[in-house]
Amino acid sequence: MRAVVQRVTRACVRVAGETVGAIDAPGLLVLVGVTPGDGPEQVEHVARKIADLRILRDERSAAETGAPVLVISQFTLYADVRKGRRPTWNAAAPGSVAEPLVDDVVAALRARGLHVETGLFGADMAVELVNDGPVTIIVESAPQDRPSVR
């Protein structure tokens, strides 16, 4: 599982011109990609990292400040561009695998007391954000066959 975490002053996601998720206060925009080997261990690792990363102002975390989080599924995080000019998506999990795991990340963040907004899985989404800093962090979980680094 891979997540791109951006510190934002505000962010929203629209589908067909209609806002489906938005945060209007400083917080985090998180793009989440899933690969076929991901499961509960990866969900827990990524959610914990997102909540506890000390990347907000004054080196505080979303868990400490109660900052809102906007989570958007993003299979393109697993694009492979090593050959040719067209990316391949072979490393991205199919929607039937990815959607419940992205939902589990959202649930794990909410279980930590965070206010979480979301995009719409599989939709053509327009994401608008004001990156603060800019601060952008990539969080990766270890595959299930390797121990994760804590």
Side-chain angles (χ1 to χ4, degrees), residues 44-113:
E44 181 56 33
H45 175 82
V46 167
R48 182 174 39 80
K49 284 290 188 181
I50 292 166
D52 293 341
L53 277 173
R54 299 174 68 85
I55 61 171
L56 296 174
R57 295 287 173 179
D58 300 321
E59 294 186 16
R60 298 184 69 200
S61 70
E64 291 173 300
T65 64
V69 180
L70 174 56
V71 174
I72 299 172
S73 63
Q74 182 97 31
F75 78 94
T76 62
L77 294 180
Y78 279 102
D80 184 348
V81 296
R82 292 177 290 181
K83 293 171 76 176
R85 296 180 296 152
R86 283 194 187 103
T88 62
W89 317 110
N90 297 336
S96 60
V97 172
E99 185 174 13
L101 291 174
V102 173
D103 290 345
D104 289 348
V105 169
V106 170
L109 291 169
R110 287 179 176 153
R112 287 173 165 76

